[in-house]
Amino acid sequence: CTACSHAAVIEGFQHYGYSLFGYNIRQAETGSRPAAVYPGMFYSPLATLPVDGIVISWDWHAGIPLILKQICHIVTDDLKVWIRVDPGEVRKVESELRSYTLSINLRNVEFIEFDKNVNSLWMGDYGPIFIHTEEGDREIISLSCPYGSPGFNAEFGNLLGLKVHQTEYVEFGGNLSFDGRASVVMAHTPVDMGIYSEGEIRGFQKALFNVDTVIFQDRLKSEMTGLVDVISRTIDEKSVFVGRYDISSSCAAGNDFLLDGNVQKFAYSKFKPYRLSMPPVNAGATTYGYPMTPSHIGAIIVNEKILLPVFASLTDQAAVAMYSQRYQGCTIHQIDCRALAGYMATLTSIIRTVSHDPFELFHEPFDYEIDSRVPESLSLRTVGVNKVDTTKISLFYRVGNEGPFTESLMYIDTYAEKKGQWFKSLMQGFKPGDVINYYFRAHDCKGMYETLPEDAPDCGVFELRYSPEKDPAYY
């Protein structure tokens, strides 16, 4: 079953490291360093950046369908939800969604039928991790998670028309929290279990995510997964949440001091820690015989909505207040995750956000010939996750289909009142009958650029035609 295989693999991660992941260890022993997945600047985006939606995987274990339906109700209001289902189960899952007491916008739901042998529920660990490249594109990193299937990320990337990098880096997606630049916060578990050394992890992080700084956190005692999404997470480029136990319990003995120690690991970094109270550890056995270790750390951010795991605990409202303070302007949606806690999981264990295109350009070319005697403007709209560098928005043009392009800087169109930032360039000085090839290139303030058409001029350009000379009486 799905949940049981999750437990078995994690126990293997903890106790059988070398035998279970031998091919990776042998690679590390050769001293080889993995090659970078992208030749230029790239990074894994911060969780607060715009997304197109989320990808989840359907599961029928007790209490899980209700959590998934709550998530779909909240997200499908204005974003898309991709749902991995076992082959032949689309109608069954669709019927389950329709039966929910709250509305779910099924027009924003897309089902992906994929091999039922995939460990289904834990999409947050084996699902796609996005990177943004300096060319303004998004690409997918697929980890060698010990469960799941790399084929799913390949199929999902193909569905979105995105490049997918399948890697040999053995890791759980829930153990990586990026700052959107060059840092990652992660638990020390892979090192503790003898899977990799710290140096080997830094090599993989640099190659796959262009990370320069890895900040390790000690894993909780008596907590089975050993992943960072239970104890710490980045809030933005300069701050992090670190869990804190306010309520003493025998099962949490020593973990309060351990979390205090994790705070100290940020002492000489750029990050400012904010303490987030954690629900008390439940000494009752979970599905796997371990104590429950619920946590509010594993929230999911989808644009201006926050899906916050709650547990009918005294710490729930404190968590709501803390997230409201740190993410001002966002709406907090509380998701009862007690059923997930029974599987030693949280929302980040079952959800992967689908990054929005980091840099988009929009232009409506003329679909008719224009008069060379009347100056016309070409307009460009930019929408990006970072601020646009208004001094580096350019139109490139030439007369005819051959020869070099001339660059002309565009200027801000202060009269445009549509979404995004608008720029324009005046076209004049051309002769009747001229055919103009042109394209655009825009830069943002963090080194990313985009062209329109995509990958212009090598993969195509726009065309502008001027009317042939006509009888003056025509005018």
Side-chain angles (χ1 to χ4, degrees):
C1 77
T2 296
C4 293
S5 58
H6 179 225
V9 170
I10 291 183
E11 289 181 356
F13 187 102
Q14 294 177 334
H15 301 299
Y16 305 110
Y18 280 95
S19 61
L20 184 60
F21 307 115
Y23 70 97
N24 284 91
I25 297 302
R26 285 195 296 274
Q27 180 190 35
E29 286 174 347
T30 65
S32 62
R33 181 176 180 142
V37 296
Y38 182 79
M41 184 273 292
F42 67 102
Y43 58 89
S44 186
L46 191 67
T48 53
L49 291 186
V51 299
D52 289 341
I54 63 173
V55 55
I56 60 177
S57 197
W58 196 264
D59 188 274
W60 295 102
H61 283 79
I64 302 302
L66 179 57
I67 293 175
L68 297 177
K69 286 185 286 187
Q70 290 181 69
I71 292 168
C72 289
H73 163 68
I74 296 165
V75 177
T76 59
D77 179 50
D78 57 353
L79 295 171
K80 192 164 184 177
V81 176
W82 288 267
I83 305 178
R84 191 218 70 86
V85 298
D86 288 346
E89 286 209 336
V90 169
R91 288 189 178 181
K92 182 180 179 181
V93 175
E94 184 175 349
S95 176
E96 184 75 11
L97 295 177
R98 290 184 185 277
S99 69
Y100 189 45
T101 54
L102 299 175
S103 63
I104 294 175
N105 183 3
L106 290 175
R107 289 175 296 181
N108 282 342
V109 173
E110 183 170 352
F111 296 102
I112 305 172
E113 291 187 88
F114 195 77
D115 188 359
K116 63 183 179 182
N117 293 322
V118 170
N119 182 285
S120 65
L121 181 58
W122 316 113
M123 182 62 70
D125 286 334
Y126 69 80
I129 300 178
F130 286 84
I131 58 171
H132 291 171
T133 73
E134 69 178 7
E135 295 177 279
D137 297 325
R138 52 181 177 162
E139 298 179 359
I140 289 175
I141 301 295
S142 180
L143 302 176
S144 287
C145 181
Y147 49 80
S149 167
F152 175 79
N153 290 332
E155 181 160 326
F156 188 66
N158 183 62
L159 182 67
L160 271 60
L162 302 178
K163 185 175 183 179
V164 178
H165 304 272
Q166 179 56 48
T167 77
E168 292 190 351
Y169 180 37
V170 177
E171 185 56 275
F172 298 91
N175 198 34
L176 304 174
S177 184
F178 298 97
D179 73 336
R181 283 292 117 190
S183 300
V184 65
V185 179
M186 62 179 293
H188 202 257
T189 306
V191 181
D192 296 340
M193 298 303 125
I195 310 303
Y196 297 116
S197 69
E198 290 186 2
E200 289 159 355
I201 288 175
R202 290 190 177 96
F204 275 112
Q205 290 294 327
K206 181 63 178 178
L208 304 183
F209 305 107
N210 203 22
V211 161
D212 294 321
T213 303
V214 179
I215 300 178
F216 291 103
Q217 298 281 274
D218 291 331
R219 56 171 298 189
L220 294 178
K221 299 176 182 178
S222 301
E223 193 277 315
M224 191 186 74
T225 68
L227 305 185
V228 81
D229 60 2
V230 176
I231 54 178
S232 303
R233 73 171 296 158
T234 55
I235 301 173
D236 51 39
E237 294 183 17
K238 295 182 179 180
S239 53
V240 293
F241 278 141
V242 180
R244 176 179 63 196
Y245 280 114
D246 299 321
I247 304 172
S248 62
S249 73
S250 58
C251 288
N255 279 334
D256 48 352
F257 297 108
L258 184 148
L259 291 172
D260 291 344
N262 280 339
V263 172
Q264 297 305 313
K265 297 180 186 297
F266 295 102
Y268 299 101
S269 75
K270 65 177 183 178
F271 293 104
K272 179 179 179 179
Y274 291 88
R275 306 303 300 271
L276 184 62
S277 296
M278 296 174 65
V281 172
N282 188 334
T286 63
T287 304
Y288 314 127
Y290 288 80
M292 284 189 190
T293 311
S295 172
H296 303 294
I297 295 286
I300 292 291
I301 303 169
V302 284
N303 296 349
E304 295 182 349
K305 301 175 183 178
I306 295 179
L307 310 183
L308 177 64
V310 294
F311 306 92
S313 166
L314 294 175
T315 61
D316 288 350
Q317 291 312 304
V320 171
M322 178 61 80
Y323 273 91
S324 298
Q325 179 183 357
R326 301 316 312 167
Y327 297 103
Q328 295 185 14
C330 291
T331 302
I332 309 293
H333 298 272
Q334 301 178 51
I335 307 291
D336 188 337
C337 288
R338 283 176 286 179
L340 277 177
Y343 294 108
M344 307 302 298
T346 185
L347 291 179
T348 48
S349 307
I350 64 172
I351 299 173
R352 268 283 152 206
T353 55
V354 178
S355 173
H356 186 66
D357 193 322
F359 204 0
E360 295 179 290
L361 307 183
F362 300 91
H363 167 66
E364 293 185 10
F366 290 98
D367 57 2
Y368 54 88
E369 294 181 341
I370 63 175
D371 185 355
S372 63
R373 304 182 186 188
V374 181
E376 292 279 5
S377 292
L378 292 180
S379 295
L380 178 72
R381 177 166 67 97
T382 66
V383 178
V385 297
N386 303 313
K387 290 184 179 180
V388 174
D389 186 342
T390 57
T391 67
K392 293 184 178 180
I393 311 297
S394 300
L395 165 70
F396 293 82
Y397 66 91
R398 69 184 177 192
V399 179
N401 298 323
E402 297 180 352
F405 286 86
T406 298
E407 180 178 8
S408 175
L409 293 179
M410 303 183 74
Y411 54 94
I412 297 175
D413 185 352
T414 56
Y415 295 100
E417 297 181 353
K418 299 179 182 179
K419 179 182 178 182
Q421 195 161 6
W422 285 78
F423 299 85
K424 62 182 179 181
S425 183
L426 195 64
M427 300 293 287
Q428 57 184 354
F430 298 102
K431 304 188 299 295
D434 277 347
V435 177
I436 310 300
N437 288 171
Y438 68 96
Y439 68 95
F440 303 94
R441 186 170 67 196
H443 293 253
D444 70 14
C445 293
K446 292 194 175 181
M448 187 180 291
Y449 68 90
E450 182 61 287
T451 60
L452 190 70
E454 184 80 19
D455 298 325
D458 296 338
C459 296
V461 294
F462 294 111
E463 190 174 85
L464 178 67
R465 291 180 175 271
Y466 285 96
S467 302
E469 190 104 45
K470 293 183 174 66
D471 189 319
Y474 177 83
Y475 299 96

